[in-house]
Amino acid sequence: MAQIELKHVKKVFSEKMLGSVVAVDDFNLEIEEGECFSFLGPSGCGKTTTLRMIAGFEDLSEGEIHLCGRPVSIKSKNLYIPPEDRGLGMVFQAFAVWPHMNIFDNVAFPLKVQKVPRLEIKKRVEQALKHTNLTGFESLYPGNLSGGQQQRIALARAIVTNPKVLLLDEPLSNLDPKLRESMRFEIKELQKKFNFTIIFVTHDQSEAMALSDRMMVMDMGKIVQIDTPRNLYNKPINRFVHNFLGKSTFVKVNLRNNKVYPDGDMTQTISCKIPENAAGKEKMVIAARPNAINLNKNTGFKTKIEKRVFLTDCTEYYVKIGSQLLMIQTPHRIVFSEGEECCVEFAETMWYDDDGNAAEEERNRRQLI
Ligand code: ADP
Ligand code: MG
C-alpha cells in the first residue's frame, strides 16, 4: 500500500484580473513508505500547491488524497482532515521560525499544541536538537543564528513530533551553495536514521537528483514524467524534461529522403540514425548532451569553432550547425582554437517534435500571478 496517494487531484485558482489558473491538473501519484520523492519543475508549475494540499493547508477542487491508507481529503464527500491531524512534518522555503521565541520553545511548539507532558517535551526537544546539530543553542533566539542554523531549527521542529512523512518545500533555496550541499547530506542522514518518507520540493535539478529515489517532473500544472533520477536523465520523454535535467544542446533539423539537414543549410547532412518517432516527419529537433558530441578534425559535419571557453572541468566550444549555434563540452586535452576548422559527430541523440516555444508564454504568465 502506498503511503501517500493522490487520485485525480485538481486545483483551480480564480484570479479576478488574470482569469483562472489550473495550478494542479489531474494528479495521480503513489509514494511508497521510506521513499525520498521530489517534485521538480520551474517556478509556477504547481509544486507548492500540491504539497499544501497533501499537508491540508489547501482545499482540493477535485479528487482524493490518502495518507497511510486513510482518506484525508475527498472533495466529493467534503471530507477534510486538518493539518495537525495528518501526522506530517513540514519545512518551508522562508525561514519560518518565531523570532520572539528561543530555540527550545520554537522546537517545542508542536508538542505543546499536542499537550505532551513537560518532561517528555524536554526529552524530545533535546533529541531533535541533537539530530540537527543544535545542542547547546536552546536559549538563543533565531535572530542570533545564521540562515543555515535557522533552517535547522525548522527541521528540528518538523521532526520533533516523530512524523512518518516530512514535507520539505524548497528548504535550502535561501542558503548559500556550500551550505546547501551539506544540508542536503544532513537531510539524507536523518532520513536513513528515521526512515521518513520525504517529499522534497525544488526547482533545482541537481538537488533533486542528489536526494531522490524518484522524482516527478512537472510543467504548468501537469505531471510530465515520474521516474528515477537516472532514467529521467537518460530517457527524458520530451524536450522539456531533457532541457530541465542538465545541459542540453538542440538542433532543429529538416528531413528529406531519409537524410538529416540542419535548419538553414541544405548542402551538408548530419549523419545519424533516424529513429522511429521521426518517420514521415519533415521537421524535428535533435537533442544531445554537450559532452556526448564528438569534436574532431576529420569525421562528421564540417564547420569551424566560433568561440571557446575554458571552464574548470571542461572546455566549451561553440560551433555553427546551419543557422544554429551548438555548444559542445570536451575534456581539456582536446584543443581547437577559435576560427579553426573542425568536424562534429553526434554520438548519442534523442529526437523530439519541434513544438517551438509556444509553452514559454504560458510559463511566464504563471510566474506573474
Ligand atoms: P510552484 O510552487 O511550483 O512555484 P505554485 O504551486 O506556488 O507553484 O503555483 C502554481 C500556480 O498557481 C501559479 O500559476 C501560481 O501563480 C498560482 N497560485 C498559487 N497560489 C495561488 C493563490 N493563492 N491564488 C491564486 N493563484 C495562485
Ligand atoms: Mg513553490
Side-chain angles (χ1 to χ4, degrees), residues 300-368:
F301 192 93
K302 285 191 183 54
T303 179
K304 69 176 182 14
I305 306 291
E306 300 286 330
K307 196 170 116 175
R308 179 177 75 180
V309 184
F310 284 118
L311 299 176
T312 46
D313 303 329
C314 63
T315 308
E316 273 182 12
Y317 290 101
Y318 291 81
V319 299
K320 263 208 170 143
I321 303 275
S323 57
Q324 299 154 86
L325 208 55
L326 189 73
M327 192 261 281
I328 303 169
Q329 290 180 334
T330 71
H332 286 308
R333 65 186 151 72
I334 297 179
V335 182
F336 283 86
S337 41
E338 286 185 0
E340 190 176 346
E341 290 192 348
C342 62
C343 292
V344 171
E345 256 185 333
F346 291 86
E348 290 163 29
T349 53
M350 278 174 256
W351 290 57
Y352 299 113
D353 285 323
D354 182 10
D355 51 8
N357 290 327
E360 231 24 66
E361 274 178 34
E362 174 61 17
R363 271 187 211 112
N364 292 337
R365 184 177 90 93
R366 285 172 168 261
Q367 290 180 28
L368 289 177

Side-chain angles (χ1 to χ4, degrees), residues 11-15 19 21-24 40-52 58 93 169-170 201-203 218 220-221 362-363 365-369:
K11 180 73 189 182
V12 183
F13 288 111
S14 299
E15 267 285 323
V21 176
V22 183
V24 173
L40 177 66
S43 180
C45 73
K47 304 180 293 293
T48 295
T49 306
T50 310
L51 204 70
R52 285 173 56 81
E58 198 81 65
Q93 174 175 7
D169 191 356
E170 311 227 11
V201 168
T202 181
H203 62 270
M218 302 162 59
M220 296 189 286
E362 174 61 17
R363 271 187 211 112
R365 184 177 90 93
R366 285 172 168 261
Q367 290 180 28
L368 289 177
I369 299 176

Side-chain angles (χ1 to χ4, degrees), residues 160-350:
V160 80
T161 54
N162 296 329
K164 288 203 158 50
V165 177
L166 267 187
L167 306 179
L168 307 175
D169 191 356
E170 311 227 11
L172 311 180
S173 53
N174 285 329
L175 308 179
D176 67 58
K178 260 220 157 108
L179 198 55
R180 288 169 83 132
E181 265 184 43
S182 66
M183 285 277 296
R184 237 187 242 173
F185 185 69
E186 284 176 35
I187 290 173
K188 203 73 195 164
E189 286 298 300
L190 273 180
Q191 190 200 10
K192 272 191 215 148
K193 228 176 262 168
F194 296 102
N195 197 33
F196 295 127
T197 305
I198 293 182
I199 301 185
F200 189 86
V201 168
T202 181
H203 62 270
D204 179 329
Q205 67 276 26
S206 45
E207 202 161 276
M209 292 185 91
L211 271 169
S212 317
D213 299 308
R214 285 192 304 152
M215 333 198 273
M216 168 166 86
V217 181
M218 302 162 59
D219 186 26
M220 296 189 286
K222 291 207 156 61
I223 296 177
V224 185
Q225 192 173 3
I226 300 176
D227 212 326
T228 59
R230 176 182 284 263
N231 282 346
L232 282 168
Y233 185 82
N234 290 327
K235 295 177 196 147
I237 61 158
N238 63 18
R239 187 178 167 170
F240 172 79
V241 179
H242 192 111
N243 199 24
F244 206 74
L245 294 178
K247 287 203 166 175
S248 314
T249 271
F250 296 101
V251 184
K252 286 187 181 193
V253 295
N254 297 303
L255 300 172
R256 300 279 184 284
N257 305 322
N258 282 328
K259 292 208 169 70
V260 185
Y261 297 92
D263 221 32
D265 185 352
M266 290 300 281
T267 63
Q268 228 193 130
T269 60
I270 297 174
S271 124
C272 56
K273 196 164 167 272
I274 300 173
E276 270 172 28
N277 69 337
K281 295 189 179 156
E282 290 191 348
K283 284 183 179 295
M284 290 290 282
V285 174
I286 297 181
R289 299 292 178 199
N291 56 9
I293 302 171
N294 174 11
L295 186 66
N296 67 87
K297 289 208 190 304
N298 321 311
T299 32
F301 192 93
K302 285 191 183 54
T303 179
K304 69 176 182 14
I305 306 291
E306 300 286 330
K307 196 170 116 175
R308 179 177 75 180
V309 184
F310 284 118
L311 299 176
T312 46
D313 303 329
C314 63
T315 308
E316 273 182 12
Y317 290 101
Y318 291 81
V319 299
K320 263 208 170 143
I321 303 275
S323 57
Q324 299 154 86
L325 208 55
L326 189 73
M327 192 261 281
I328 303 169
Q329 290 180 334
T330 71
H332 286 308
R333 65 186 151 72
I334 297 179
V335 182
F336 283 86
S337 41
E338 286 185 0
E340 190 176 346
E341 290 192 348
C342 62
C343 292
V344 171
E345 256 185 333
F346 291 86
E348 290 163 29
T349 53
M350 278 174 256

